[in-house]
Amino acid sequence: MSHTLGIRQAQKQKTRQALLDAALQLLEEQSLSSLGLREVTRAVGVAPTAFYRHFRDMADLGVALVEEALSSLHTTLVSLLAATGDSADSDGEERIAATVELIVAYVRTHPAHVRFIAREQHGGVQAVRSAIGDQLTLFAQEVKAQFAREPESAGWDDDDLLMLARMYVDHMVMTASALLEAAPDAEERVAASARRQLRLVSLGRRHWLDGQ
């Protein structure tokens, strides 16, 4: 019995992932608000009623795509910040280079996910906009927690640290969008610009309290 249940659970998970993959492919050319449930199930080859075994509606599927697109980045980002924060070059060139490399690699390996987030961040599906906002807020809180442990943050209050963390996260999102739209031969120019912008953030952080 347990073996049979295991097979059924594996098949269910396979179908769920197939629905997510099909939706993501279809969303290359349209927004979630214009994508129909029947389009997705037709692409997978299942009956429309099968959709509801996995998702309540298309918004629920969209939220699942947000989690798929962004949740895996949390561990990588936190590890990157911790590793570069422990170095003598804290918040300097090592962190800047590693951050931009992380974004470039993610856009290369997950372009459809990046396109989906960029389009739906301000799209017409409220639940998906909220899910993206929640993920980006969590990113900012994680960045803030790491920044708070670093010597450069001595004397900073929580609001200023959170503002700095949000700038860092917003920069990552904007850089990902720019890389997505860039021609292949322009990728390095976008990356170089992103590194220069992060240097300005780094410089501002080091001198933020000088005039206070």
Side-chain angles (χ1 to χ4, degrees):
M1 177 66 74
S2 60
H3 179 65
T4 301
L5 289 174
I7 293 175
R8 288 177 179 172
Q9 186 61 34
Q11 183 58 48
K12 182 177 181 181
Q13 181 58 38
K14 183 179 179 181
T15 302
R16 183 181 190 275
Q17 188 60 52
L19 290 166
L20 289 170
D21 292 344
L24 191 61
Q25 184 174 2
L26 290 165
L27 287 167
E28 290 271 356
E29 303 297 335
Q30 60 184 305
S31 65
L32 183 63
S33 60
S34 66
L35 180 62
L37 181 154
R38 289 181 180 276
E39 287 181 77
V40 178
T41 55
R42 188 183 307 117
V44 176
V46 300
T49 53
F51 179 93
Y52 295 104
R53 300 188 191 122
H54 306 277
F55 305 104
R56 293 187 301 274
D57 50 29
M58 287 298 294
D60 192 35
L61 180 145
V63 170
L65 280 175
V66 172
E67 293 171 356
E68 183 177 81
L70 295 178
S71 61
S72 64
L73 279 176
H74 287 279
T75 301
T76 305
L77 177 61
V78 171
S79 297
L80 182 157
L81 292 174
T84 54
D86 289 339
S87 73
D89 186 38
S90 177
D91 204 31
E93 288 301 316
E94 182 181 358
R95 173 171 288 174
I96 289 167
T99 298
V100 176
E101 286 172 9
L102 172 64
I103 301 168
V104 170
Y106 191 76
V107 173
R108 284 176 178 170
T109 55
H110 299 85
H113 285 100
V114 175
R115 185 172 290 105
F116 169 73
I117 295 298
R119 178 181 288 137
E120 300 301 329
Q121 185 176 6
H122 305 292
V125 181
Q126 174 62 46
V128 174
R129 290 202 312 272
S130 296
I132 295 171
D134 289 345
Q135 285 283 341
L136 296 182
T137 295
L138 181 56
F139 271 120
Q141 292 289 352
E142 291 169 343
V143 173
K144 175 194 167 189
Q146 175 58 38
F147 283 172
R149 291 191 285 268
E150 298 171 0
E152 291 87 349
S153 298
W156 284 60
D157 63 32
D158 282 350
D159 288 343
D160 286 348
L161 272 179
L162 183 58
M163 178 178 64
L164 175 66
R166 287 189 182 280
M167 288 175 60
Y168 190 88
V169 172
D170 288 346
H171 176 271
M172 292 181 69
V173 173
M174 289 187 294
T175 299
S177 296
L179 285 165
L180 187 66
E181 299 302 324
D185 61 353
E187 182 181 277
E188 178 49 36
R189 289 199 298 274
V190 174
S193 177
R195 289 191 291 268
R196 289 197 300 273
Q197 291 164 7
L198 279 179
R199 288 188 191 103
L200 287 174
V201 174
S202 176
L203 181 64
R205 178 187 184 188
R206 291 171 179 172
H207 298 282
W208 177 249
L209 299 178
D210 290 355
Q212 298 188 29

